Amino acid sequence: GKTILTGSNDNIARLWDLKGDTLQEFKGHSGSILSVAFSHDGNTILTGSEDQTARLWDLKGKTLQEFKGHSGGVLSVAFSSDGNIILTGSADNTARLWNLHGKTLQEFKGHSFEVSSVAFSPIGKTILTGSFDYSARLWDLRGQVLQEFNDSNEIRSVAFSPDGNTILTASDDKIIRLWDLEGKVLQQFKGHSGKVFSVAFSPDGNTI
């Protein structure tokens, strides 16, 4: 909680202190940085870029690994809870699991449009994808769809609750939805007058 991480259209990610001073720049991508994430131990960071790659970095700005294989921009990145597996979602309509050496472990195919958002379940046994094809999907780690969540518009962001029992989706229909894992809508959050681009749970899971 002492630093923040940002990605930008200037192709650079930056680490900042809470006073707004830049601590480190992460340079190497040849396209806009569309998603950033900290590892759970805070020692490495992950970036996803329009250049169709993701990168793992140390905090000094050194690239530790490059993840190549997507044929579209990398729109979303996530670490597994143990930090040993990387998850990416891409404009090529797929998501991928990778090890830290840059090898693809699994590819998740089935969405008909861009995979805009990805998330690991808290226990790491399933993953969640959100897509511009108006759906979110729950998958096992072998690439099998366990459940589909059908929205009324493009999904921009997905999130697991801390206990892993519910999920959130943010949609271009201006509505945030809370779902159970069986695909039932538990609650709708209405009030925004524009597209909803990002959602997150509080650590205790009681607010969004």
Side-chain angles (χ1 to χ4, degrees):
K2 304 290 187 184
T3 55
I4 71 163
L5 183 61
T6 57
S8 171
N9 284 348
D10 65 8
N11 306 354
I12 299 170
R14 287 182 169 87
L15 188 68
W16 312 73
D17 65 21
L18 300 186
K19 296 177 183 177
D21 293 323
T22 300
L23 302 175
Q24 190 57 251
E25 290 188 342
F26 303 85
K27 297 180 178 179
H29 283 295
S30 60
S32 299
I33 295 176
L34 306 176
S35 183
V36 295
F38 274 106
S39 61
H40 291 270
D41 64 10
N43 292 329
T44 54
I45 72 159
L46 189 59
T47 54
S49 172
E50 207 165 40
D51 68 10
Q52 304 183 7
T53 72
R55 287 188 181 215
L56 182 70
W57 313 72
D58 66 19
L59 298 185
K60 296 179 180 178
K62 179 186 176 184
T63 298
L64 302 176
Q65 190 59 247
E66 195 169 2
F67 303 87
K68 296 180 178 180
H70 283 296
S71 58
V74 178
L75 306 181
S76 185
V77 294
F79 280 100
S80 62
S81 57
D82 64 7
N84 292 327
I85 301 177
I86 301 299
L87 177 61
T88 56
S90 172
D92 67 8
N93 307 348
T94 73
R96 288 187 182 214
L97 283 182
W98 314 73
N99 66 20
L100 297 185
H101 302 293
K103 179 185 176 184
T104 299
L105 303 176
Q106 188 58 249
E107 195 169 2
F108 302 85
K109 297 180 178 180
H111 285 294
S112 57
F113 284 98
E114 302 176 12
V115 176
S116 55
S117 184
V118 294
F120 273 103
S121 65
I123 57 172
K125 300 293 186 184
T126 56
I127 70 152
L128 185 62
T129 57
S131 173
F132 289 175
D133 68 5
Y134 297 17
S135 77
R137 291 185 178 203
L138 184 69
W139 312 71
D140 66 22
L141 300 186
R142 296 173 297 173
Q144 299 298 309
V145 177
L146 303 176
Q147 189 58 251
E148 193 165 347
F149 308 85
N150 293 306
D151 210 308
S152 68
N153 215 310
E154 295 179 355
I155 292 177
R156 299 273 175 177
S157 182
V158 295
F160 274 105
S161 61
D163 64 10
N165 292 330
T166 56
I167 69 162
L168 280 177
T169 58
S171 173
D172 277 8
D173 66 6
K174 310 173 188 177
I175 298 171
I176 301 155
R177 290 176 175 85
L178 180 71
W179 312 72
D180 66 20
L181 299 186
E182 305 302 316
K184 178 185 177 184
V185 176
L186 302 176
Q187 189 60 259
Q188 296 188 77
F189 302 85
K190 298 180 180 180
H192 284 297
S193 58
K195 300 173 182 178
V196 185
F197 286 90
S198 187
V199 290
F201 280 94
S202 62
D204 65 6
N206 291 330
T207 54
I208 68 158

